[in-house]
Amino acid sequence: MDLKAYLKGNPYPGRGIVLGKADGKAVIAYFIMGRSENSRNRIFVEEVDGVRTKAFDESKMQDPSLIIYYPYRRVRETHIITNGDQTDTVYTYLKEGKTMTDALRTRTYEPDGPNFTPRISGIIEGDRAILSILKKDGEGTNRNFFEYDLQEGQCRVIHTYQANEEPLPSFLGEPRLFPLSGTIDTITADIWTSLNEENKVSLLVKTISEDGVVETRIMNKNGGLV
């Protein structure tokens, strides 16, 4: 199974992170999906200090607490990607010379019972990638961290939900390993067209060359390619 088939096989993986390397460049991808009107009423916008979510129609915004945040920020040569406001926690800790692990030890899963959505996070520093998932475990939090060397032609994928059930079951096991190839436009198209048409909301893809040049693609169901 490749990444496209894997994504097509799950109509609601929720929010997902892809970290890998292709075409000689590090690759970061982050997608969001939604089932409610509030979740679907979002777009990604790029700003000077990162990429954030924004209401597509401000008049329809209900509770912004868990859906408006910066999924992407950067501290020097470290690129941060997460599914919530823990992006800012990691960003602050890295600026203070601490680690992503230090930052996420202060955080827990999202308080959206009965789903209790996991917080998923990742960073890329040169040829090193770290992925994390914080999940509800009884009355506590199960914090998992996975560190990888980026290897050409490979990616690791983690997402919030295992399947489209009620309540939504959390992702299980280690981040999935898949082949990865192509340019930023190819990767963007492959992921976007593989996500469930009804539930997909937005997709962010970034590539980082060996000399630090960053390219960005954003796809919004409300608004198309940015």
Side-chain angles (χ1 to χ4, degrees):
M1 183 180 293
D2 61 16
L3 178 58
K4 291 188 291 183
Y6 179 77
L7 294 175
K8 286 179 180 178
N10 186 346
Y12 197 65
R15 286 164 274 171
I17 295 172
V18 181
L19 299 183
K21 189 172 184 179
D23 200 28
K25 301 175 181 178
V27 176
I28 297 170
Y30 175 63
F31 61 81
I32 59 174
M33 307 183 81
R35 299 187 302 178
S36 68
E37 182 181 25
N38 199 40
S39 291
R40 292 176 176 178
N41 180 35
R42 289 183 290 173
I43 57 175
F44 286 159
V45 293
E46 188 162 29
E47 298 182 345
V48 173
D49 53 353
V51 174
R52 71 178 180 94
T53 60
K54 179 179 181 294
F56 176 66
D57 184 342
E58 297 285 354
S59 69
K60 295 181 179 179
M61 176 57 62
Q62 299 170 16
D63 179 10
S65 60
L66 292 175
I67 65 172
I68 301 300
Y69 56 92
Y70 279 87
Y72 171 84
R73 300 191 78 173
R74 178 179 177 179
V75 178
R76 295 177 292 276
E77 301 310 313
T78 302
H79 301 263
I80 308 162
I81 191 80
T82 91
N83 73 327
D85 64 12
Q86 72 269 26
T87 303
D88 295 334
T89 308
V90 176
Y91 177 81
T92 298
Y93 270 65
L94 291 179
K95 287 191 72 174
E96 294 173 350
K98 299 175 184 178
T99 68
M100 170 180 162
T101 305
D102 294 331
L104 293 176
R105 283 181 179 143
T106 71
R107 300 303 305 266
T108 184
Y109 50 87
E110 295 185 353
D112 62 335
N115 298 315
F116 299 107
T117 299
R119 292 191 187 272
I120 55 173
S121 309
I123 61 170
I124 281 183
E125 291 179 319
D127 281 329
R128 180 176 72 120
I130 301 176
L131 283 166
S132 169
I133 184 167
L134 313 181
K135 298 190 289 186
K136 181 174 170 57
D137 183 10
E139 296 304 311
T141 303
N142 186 330
R143 297 177 177 87
N144 293 297
F145 299 89
F146 309 90
E147 183 170 350
Y148 305 101
D149 293 329
L150 291 178
Q151 299 185 57
E152 177 67 31
Q154 292 184 356
C155 69
R156 302 276 178 169
V157 180
I158 196 167
H159 46 89
T160 52
Y161 307 128
Q162 190 70 19
N164 190 20
E165 300 172 1
E166 296 294 346
L168 289 160
S170 296
F171 179 90
L172 294 174
E174 186 174 343
R176 311 292 190 256
L177 172 65
F178 295 106
L180 184 70
S181 62
T183 65
I184 187 171
D185 291 314
T186 302
I187 293 168
T188 300
D190 285 347
I191 295 175
W192 187 245
T193 57
S194 299
L195 296 172
N196 180 271
E197 183 63 32
E198 181 179 0
N199 295 323
K200 67 184 180 183
V201 175
S202 294
L203 168 67
L204 165 69
V205 181
K206 285 183 175 284
T207 60
I208 305 105
S209 68
E210 291 184 358
D211 56 0
V213 176
V214 179
E215 285 191 80
T216 303
R217 300 290 185 272
I218 291 174
M219 292 294 299
N220 290 313
K221 188 171 183 180
N222 293 312
L225 176 66
V226 176

